[in-house]
Structure formats: C-alpha cells, structure tokens
Amino acid sequence: MKVTILCIGSLKENYLKQAVTEYTKRISPYSAINIVEVTEERLREGGGAAYEEAVLKAESARLLSKINEKDFVITLEIAGKQLSSIELSELIRIKMSGGTSSFVFVIGGSLGLHETVLNRANYRLSFSKMTLPHQLIRVNLLEQIYRAFKIMKNEPYHK
C-alpha cells in the first residue's frame, strides 16, 4: 500500500516539519508514505475573482499532474464529509480490502481546491467546518492516518 499527501506549498516552520517527520516515521511500518509538494502561486492583494480563479487553475493543473488513474483520491475540503477516526480507518480498510493500493490525500492552498481537482476526488473529507491553515492540516492528516493504521491493527493508541 502507498499513501501520498499531495499539497500546495512547502512547510516553513520547523515545528511543523518536525511533526511531519515524526508521523511519517510512525506510518512507515504500515505503508509507504510520500509527501509531494507542488508550487504555490503567489497571491497579490486585490487581484479579484478572475485572478483567484487563474491561481486555482494553475495550482490544480500541478496537482492533477501528480495523480494517477488508479489512485483513490481524497480531497480535504470544508464541504467534505466529517468522519471520526474509526470511520476514517474503516474507509481505508474497506478500500484496501477491495483492491485499492494507492491513496492520495490532496490539501489545497490558501484559496482551497479548484473544481477540477474536486471533481477528480473519490472521496471528499472535512476535518472541520472551520477554516484551518493548509500547513497545519498536513500534520493533522498524518496523525489521523497513523491513528487509522493503529485502529486497523487493533494496536493501542491514546484516545
């Protein structure tokens, strides 16, 4: 099995980089794990709706170029479905038992994800109705993936 975290931009804060490194290490006994960062477009103040649409399209083209036909794509978005940790674990387990071997979790940039990426999603996931920083959600996602594997294996993990 392979898990890819596909995201816009790179992490800048060391504490986030350290957390990503730690959870990547924890996940590695259960699955291959890759983090793929694509370039984030620079946003300028007062660019307007057409400018923001162009930014989303440019970022989405980069994201979509990294997704294969057989990948099970899970987008992270406010409008997605909220799951408990157990439900996320069950979703992954069911898909794995059905033959899915490659999961791609997609995290958008500060403007979110363009509809072309959303339309490619096999599943739309929301961590909250609140807006969360896209750099911080990467750590949260990795922790939940790690927790999902622990749940699947009936291994202890704090609740």
Side-chain angles (χ1 to χ4, degrees):
M1 181 173 144
K2 179 176 86 171
V3 173
T4 301
I5 310 295
L6 179 56
C7 42
I8 300 291
S10 59
L11 295 179
K12 293 162 184 61
E13 293 83 5
N14 282 333
Y15 69 94
L16 293 174
K17 290 177 184 177
Q18 290 169 349
V20 166
T21 299
E22 178 62 27
Y23 281 110
T24 301
K25 182 175 77 174
R26 291 182 186 193
I27 292 168
S28 63
Y30 304 101
S31 172
I33 176 86
N34 297 314
I35 297 175
V36 177
E37 299 172 337
V38 300
T39 306
E40 183 174 19
E41 291 288 313
R42 288 198 155 210
L43 295 177
R44 64 175 192 256
E45 288 291 319
Y51 172 72
E52 289 184 359
E53 177 71 10
V55 165
L56 281 171
K57 281 184 179 179
E59 290 177 346
S60 72
R62 289 186 201 111
L63 291 169
L64 290 169
S65 74
K66 304 293 183 188
I67 297 171
N68 294 317
E69 182 181 310
K70 292 184 179 183
D71 292 335
F72 187 83
V73 177
I74 300 173
T75 52
L76 277 74
E77 52 184 285
I78 290 174
K81 184 172 181 184
Q82 292 183 12
L83 299 176
S84 69
S85 297
I86 293 171
E87 290 170 328
L88 177 60
S89 178
E90 187 65 6
L91 172 67
I92 294 169
R93 187 194 65 73
I94 288 170
K95 291 299 172 187
M96 285 172 48
S97 65
T100 299
S101 62
S102 179
F103 292 84
V104 177
F105 291 85
V106 184
I107 303 171
S110 58
L111 295 177
L113 294 167
H114 190 266
E115 64 186 41
T116 56
V117 177
L118 300 177
N119 290 337
R120 173 57 182 88
N122 299 101
Y123 196 89
R124 295 176 175 199
L125 179 65
S126 174
F127 272 35
S128 174
K129 290 182 181 179
M130 293 183 278
T131 301
L132 301 169
H134 63 279
Q135 293 188 356
L136 185 57
I137 201 67
R138 191 182 312 188
V139 175
N140 293 344
L141 175 60
L142 286 165
E143 190 279 334
Q144 286 300 305
I145 293 169
Y146 173 62
R147 187 181 294 263
F149 283 116
K150 296 292 272 186
I151 290 168
M152 274 187 261
K153 299 290 185 178
N154 291 315
E155 296 175 356
Y157 192 79
H158 67 277
K159 295 182 179 184

